[in-house]
Amino acid sequence: MTSTYGDWLKQQRETAGLTQQQLADAAVMTRSHIAHIEAGRRTPSKEDARRLDKVLNTGNVLSSFLPRDDAAVADYFEAARLLEQQAVMIQEFALSFVPGILQTERYARAVLSKSFPPASDEECDRLVVTRLERAKILDAPWAPVVWATLDETVLRRVVGGRDVMAEQLMHLVRLAERRRVRIHVLPFALGFHPLMESMLSLMWFEDQPPVAYSEGLRMGRVHDSPSVVQELQGRYALALSDALPLKESVALLRATAKDYGHHG
């Protein structure tokens, strides 16, 4: 997103004599979201833009001239994708494959090309680009803290071939070594654990309550009920307490990549 849209929003806000917090309160948003939009780091949803127009008395300008968003994601994931961009901390649990924001291009393509009904080459390209765009939050100045807890299945199930797996696992090693991501593996030897039902993402924000996102086959849901979020946080904490420590998890990733043929 360019800063032009955000600059104009900031100009209209200041002309109206409102602080970011006052505008956020009136538009039923968060101050951090307003700040991200004004800085050109985020795009408001259509509903957010409609409320901003109403508060600022700008007709439908902010709604009509929304920067184009070409993100290709499943409908049920869109709300989670927008929340992911605003989070200051993300805790991921992956049951079957590497979480989207941690995937390499070849691994992502291997996952997305196996969809059913089969996606065209063009659609697969769009899906891969969106997934890689999501991953850019790890390199941004406002990058969230990310913890990834991986079932050992993620390491052992070959996706895209042994060379793709070796590359993907070493990518995780490098992220962990750069301290961008903490990675913990739940080993097979553990047996049953409280997160075996589905993948899970927990998200925290600057000035709004935490949420959770769970996903299964062709379905996903954002949970914002405090009691549900607290329960899912508890499940995550319990599973994490049984996972391998960071150092041992990274060693296992490196050893598994070597088994797949990595010799670097």
Side-chain angles (χ1 to χ4, degrees):
M1 174 179 171
T2 66
S3 61
T4 304
Y5 185 94
D7 288 342
W8 195 83
L9 171 62
K10 181 179 180 180
Q11 180 183 352
Q12 298 306 307
R13 174 179 62 77
E14 292 177 342
T15 298
L18 299 174
T19 64
Q20 288 182 339
Q21 187 61 62
Q22 289 170 331
L23 176 58
D25 291 342
V28 196
M29 298 170 65
T30 66
R31 187 209 59 78
S32 61
H33 197 181
I34 297 293
H36 285 317
I37 295 170
E38 290 187 354
R41 298 192 293 261
R42 301 286 185 268
T43 301
S45 68
K46 291 181 180 179
E47 179 59 23
D48 286 342
R50 184 191 67 76
R51 290 198 299 268
L52 289 169
D53 272 328
K54 183 176 180 180
V55 172
L56 295 171
N57 196 28
T58 49
N60 63 351
V61 175
L62 289 163
S63 303
S64 299
F65 294 95
L66 274 171
R68 183 177 176 183
D69 188 351
D70 291 325
V73 296
D75 292 342
Y76 56 77
F77 182 68
E78 178 59 17
R81 182 183 72 89
L82 295 174
L83 289 167
E84 181 181 75
Q85 295 174 6
Q86 302 171 48
V88 296
M89 181 173 183
I90 301 172
Q91 290 184 331
E92 294 269 14
F93 167 69
L95 181 63
S96 302
F97 49 83
V98 175
I101 60 173
L102 306 180
Q103 292 179 6
T104 64
E105 180 176 355
R106 291 204 299 164
Y107 186 96
R109 189 172 298 278
V111 170
L112 296 168
S113 65
K114 298 300 182 182
S115 62
F116 184 86
S120 66
D121 290 344
E122 181 180 9
E123 178 64 13
C124 188
D125 287 343
R126 290 185 65 233
L127 292 167
V128 170
V129 167
T130 295
R131 189 151 294 185
L132 297 178
E133 284 293 318
R134 286 173 54 207
K136 288 183 178 180
I137 63 172
L138 299 178
D139 295 317
W142 60 92
V145 173
V146 178
W147 293 4
T149 302
L150 311 178
D151 192 284
E152 190 174 347
T153 302
V154 175
L155 283 61
R156 305 300 182 187
R157 186 179 301 281
V158 178
V159 175
R162 297 177 68 83
D163 59 330
V164 171
M165 287 299 297
E167 178 186 60
Q168 174 64 73
L169 297 184
M170 287 308 298
H171 176 63
L172 296 177
V173 168
R174 286 189 290 272
L175 287 173
E177 289 178 340
R178 289 166 52 202
R179 295 187 294 178
R180 281 296 195 187
V181 181
R182 288 188 64 91
I183 297 176
H184 299 274
V185 176
L186 283 165
F188 285 144
L190 177 62
F192 180 86
H193 60 77
L195 295 178
M196 285 185 68
E197 295 178 32
S198 69
M199 66 77 66
L200 177 67
S201 180
L202 303 171
M203 291 176 271
W204 283 260
F205 309 91
E206 264 185 12
D207 51 8
Q208 66 187 77
V211 301
Y213 173 74
S214 60
E215 185 175 296
L217 186 62
R218 299 295 297 163
M219 61 186 298
R221 181 178 179 182
V222 173
H223 306 273
D224 56 9
S225 165
S227 61
V228 173
V229 172
Q230 187 174 27
E231 177 195 341
L232 295 174
Q233 288 173 340
R235 287 194 182 205
Y236 191 98
L238 188 59
L240 181 60
S241 70
D242 287 328
L244 298 178
L246 174 64
K247 185 175 180 179
E248 293 178 30
S249 295
V250 171
L252 179 58
L253 287 167
R254 193 185 297 276
T256 308
K258 184 176 181 181
D259 290 341
Y260 284 130
H262 175 78
H263 301 293

